[in-house]
mmCIF file of all heavy atoms in Angstrom:
data_model
loop_
_atom_site.group_PDB
_atom_site.id
_atom_site.type_symbol
_atom_site.label_atom_id
_atom_site.label_comp_id
_atom_site.label_asym_id
_atom_site.label_seq_id
_atom_site.Cartn_x
_atom_site.Cartn_y
_atom_site.Cartn_z
ATOM 1 N N LEU A 121 33.829 29.765 16.774
ATOM 2 C CA LEU A 121 34.947 29.976 15.874
ATOM 3 C C LEU A 121 36.137 29.115 16.298
ATOM 4 O O LEU A 121 36.526 29.087 17.469
ATOM 5 C CB LEU A 121 35.347 31.462 15.875
ATOM 6 C CG LEU A 121 36.349 31.886 14.770
ATOM 7 C CD1 LEU A 121 35.738 31.668 13.390
ATOM 8 C CD2 LEU A 121 36.764 33.343 14.963
ATOM 9 N N GLY A 122 36.661 28.385 15.339
ATOM 10 C CA GLY A 122 37.813 27.527 15.610
ATOM 11 C C GLY A 122 37.456 26.112 15.995
ATOM 12 O O GLY A 122 38.353 25.279 16.189
ATOM 13 N N LYS A 123 36.161 25.804 16.126
ATOM 14 C CA LYS A 123 35.737 24.454 16.466
ATOM 15 C C LYS A 123 34.978 23.828 15.302
ATOM 16 O O LYS A 123 34.378 24.526 14.491
ATOM 17 C CB LYS A 123 34.835 24.464 17.709
ATOM 18 C CG LYS A 123 35.561 24.863 18.979
ATOM 19 C CD LYS A 123 34.651 24.705 20.193
ATOM 20 C CE LYS A 123 35.398 25.048 21.470
ATOM 21 N NZ LYS A 123 34.529 24.885 22.670
ATOM 22 N N ALA A 124 35.026 22.504 15.207
ATOM 23 C CA ALA A 124 34.366 21.783 14.126
ATOM 24 C C ALA A 124 32.889 21.598 14.444
ATOM 25 O O ALA A 124 32.499 21.439 15.599
ATOM 26 C CB ALA A 124 35.030 20.430 13.913
ATOM 27 N N ALA A 125 32.063 21.615 13.402
ATOM 28 C CA ALA A 125 30.625 21.394 13.566
ATOM 29 C C ALA A 125 30.367 19.922 13.872
ATOM 30 O O ALA A 125 30.947 19.038 13.238
ATOM 31 C CB ALA A 125 29.877 21.812 12.308
ATOM 32 N N THR A 126 29.499 19.663 14.821
ATOM 33 C CA THR A 126 29.206 18.274 15.224
ATOM 34 C C THR A 126 27.721 17.978 15.244
ATOM 35 O O THR A 126 27.336 16.837 15.501
ATOM 36 C CB THR A 126 29.773 17.998 16.627
ATOM 37 O OG1 THR A 126 29.190 18.914 17.554
ATOM 38 C CG2 THR A 126 31.288 18.137 16.643
ATOM 39 N N THR A 127 26.865 18.981 14.971
ATOM 40 C CA THR A 127 25.425 18.787 15.087
ATOM 41 C C THR A 127 24.724 19.388 13.878
ATOM 42 O O THR A 127 25.155 20.415 13.347
ATOM 43 C CB THR A 127 24.887 19.460 16.361
ATOM 44 O OG1 THR A 127 25.691 19.070 17.472
ATOM 45 C CG2 THR A 127 23.449 19.048 16.632
ATOM 46 N N VAL A 128 23.643 18.722 13.443
ATOM 47 C CA VAL A 128 22.854 19.235 12.329
ATOM 48 C C VAL A 128 21.405 19.401 12.771
ATOM 49 O O VAL A 128 20.920 18.680 13.648
ATOM 50 C CB VAL A 128 22.917 18.301 11.104
ATOM 51 C CG1 VAL A 128 24.322 18.246 10.543
ATOM 52 C CG2 VAL A 128 22.410 16.911 11.435
ATOM 53 N N LEU A 129 20.728 20.359 12.140
ATOM 54 C CA LEU A 129 19.300 20.555 12.294
ATOM 55 C C LEU A 129 18.640 20.080 11.008
ATOM 56 O O LEU A 129 19.010 20.516 9.912
ATOM 57 C CB LEU A 129 18.985 22.034 12.531
ATOM 58 C CG LEU A 129 17.504 22.433 12.447
ATOM 59 C CD1 LEU A 129 16.697 21.780 13.553
ATOM 60 C CD2 LEU A 129 17.354 23.951 12.488
ATOM 61 N N VAL A 130 17.687 19.141 11.134
ATOM 62 C CA VAL A 130 17.030 18.556 9.968
ATOM 63 C C VAL A 130 15.553 18.889 10.027
ATOM 64 O O VAL A 130 14.891 18.654 11.038
ATOM 65 C CB VAL A 130 17.231 17.025 9.931
ATOM 66 C CG1 VAL A 130 16.616 16.447 8.656
ATOM 67 C CG2 VAL A 130 18.708 16.672 10.007
ATOM 68 N N MET A 131 15.048 19.473 8.917
ATOM 69 C CA MET A 131 13.620 19.734 8.756
ATOM 70 C C MET A 131 13.147 18.995 7.515
ATOM 71 O O MET A 131 13.868 18.908 6.523
ATOM 72 C CB MET A 131 13.353 21.238 8.617
ATOM 73 C CG MET A 131 13.683 22.047 9.869
ATOM 74 S SD MET A 131 13.412 23.818 9.664
ATOM 75 C CE MET A 131 14.773 24.232 8.567
ATOM 76 N N GLY A 132 11.918 18.463 7.597
ATOM 77 C CA GLY A 132 11.458 17.685 6.451
ATOM 78 C C GLY A 132 9.965 17.494 6.434
ATOM 79 O O GLY A 132 9.230 17.975 7.294
ATOM 80 N N ARG A 133 9.523 16.757 5.400
ATOM 81 C CA ARG A 133 8.106 16.433 5.258
ATOM 82 C C ARG A 133 7.988 15.059 4.602
ATOM 83 O O ARG A 133 8.888 14.614 3.897
ATOM 84 C CB ARG A 133 7.393 17.483 4.422
ATOM 85 C CG ARG A 133 7.972 17.678 3.035
ATOM 86 C CD ARG A 133 7.322 18.854 2.347
ATOM 87 N NE ARG A 133 7.931 19.111 1.041
ATOM 88 C CZ ARG A 133 7.614 20.142 0.254
ATOM 89 N NH1 ARG A 133 6.695 21.005 0.675
ATOM 90 N NH2 ARG A 133 8.198 20.304 -0.907
ATOM 91 N N LEU A 134 6.838 14.424 4.848
ATOM 92 C CA LEU A 134 6.599 13.080 4.342
ATOM 93 C C LEU A 134 6.117 13.141 2.903
ATOM 94 O O LEU A 134 5.194 13.892 2.569
ATOM 95 C CB LEU A 134 5.551 12.384 5.225
ATOM 96 C CG LEU A 134 5.113 10.988 4.799
ATOM 97 C CD1 LEU A 134 6.271 9.995 4.944
ATOM 98 C CD2 LEU A 134 3.926 10.529 5.642
ATOM 99 N N LEU A 135 6.751 12.325 2.053
ATOM 100 C CA LEU A 135 6.309 12.212 0.663
ATOM 101 C C LEU A 135 5.405 11.008 0.469
ATOM 102 O O LEU A 135 4.354 11.100 -0.151
ATOM 103 C CB LEU A 135 7.519 12.113 -0.266
ATOM 104 C CG LEU A 135 8.462 13.331 -0.279
ATOM 105 C CD1 LEU A 135 9.612 13.106 -1.232
ATOM 106 C CD2 LEU A 135 7.701 14.598 -0.663
ATOM 107 N N GLN A 136 5.825 9.849 0.984
ATOM 108 C CA GLN A 136 4.981 8.661 0.902
ATOM 109 C C GLN A 136 5.423 7.651 1.962
ATOM 110 O O GLN A 136 6.540 7.724 2.470
ATOM 111 C CB GLN A 136 5.031 8.028 -0.496
ATOM 112 C CG GLN A 136 6.413 7.549 -0.924
ATOM 113 C CD GLN A 136 6.371 6.824 -2.269
ATOM 114 O OE1 GLN A 136 5.406 6.133 -2.571
ATOM 115 N NE2 GLN A 136 7.408 6.999 -3.076
ATOM 116 N N ALA A 137 4.487 6.736 2.269
ATOM 117 C CA ALA A 137 4.764 5.680 3.238
ATOM 118 C C ALA A 137 4.406 4.337 2.634
ATOM 119 O O ALA A 137 3.434 4.226 1.875
ATOM 120 C CB ALA A 137 3.963 5.903 4.515
ATOM 121 N N LYS A 138 5.210 3.342 2.919
ATOM 122 C CA LYS A 138 4.958 1.989 2.424
ATOM 123 C C LYS A 138 4.986 1.013 3.594
ATOM 124 O O LYS A 138 5.846 1.083 4.446
ATOM 125 C CB LYS A 138 6.013 1.584 1.391
ATOM 126 C CG LYS A 138 5.904 2.354 0.072
ATOM 127 C CD LYS A 138 6.821 1.770 -0.993
ATOM 128 C CE LYS A 138 6.636 2.488 -2.324
ATOM 129 N NZ LYS A 138 7.459 1.896 -3.399
ATOM 130 N N VAL A 139 4.014 0.109 3.584
ATOM 131 C CA VAL A 139 3.938 -0.880 4.635
ATOM 132 C C VAL A 139 4.820 -2.077 4.337
ATOM 133 O O VAL A 139 5.510 -2.595 5.194
ATOM 134 C CB VAL A 139 2.476 -1.345 4.835
ATOM 135 C CG1 VAL A 139 2.404 -2.451 5.880
ATOM 136 C CG2 VAL A 139 1.593 -0.168 5.211
#
Side-chain angles (χ1 to χ4, degrees):
L121 191 62
K123 293 186 178 181
T126 59
T127 311
V128 295
L129 169 65
V130 184
M131 294 178 289
R133 58 187 176 185
L134 177 67
L135 297 180
Q136 61 175 325
K138 291 189 176 183
V139 176

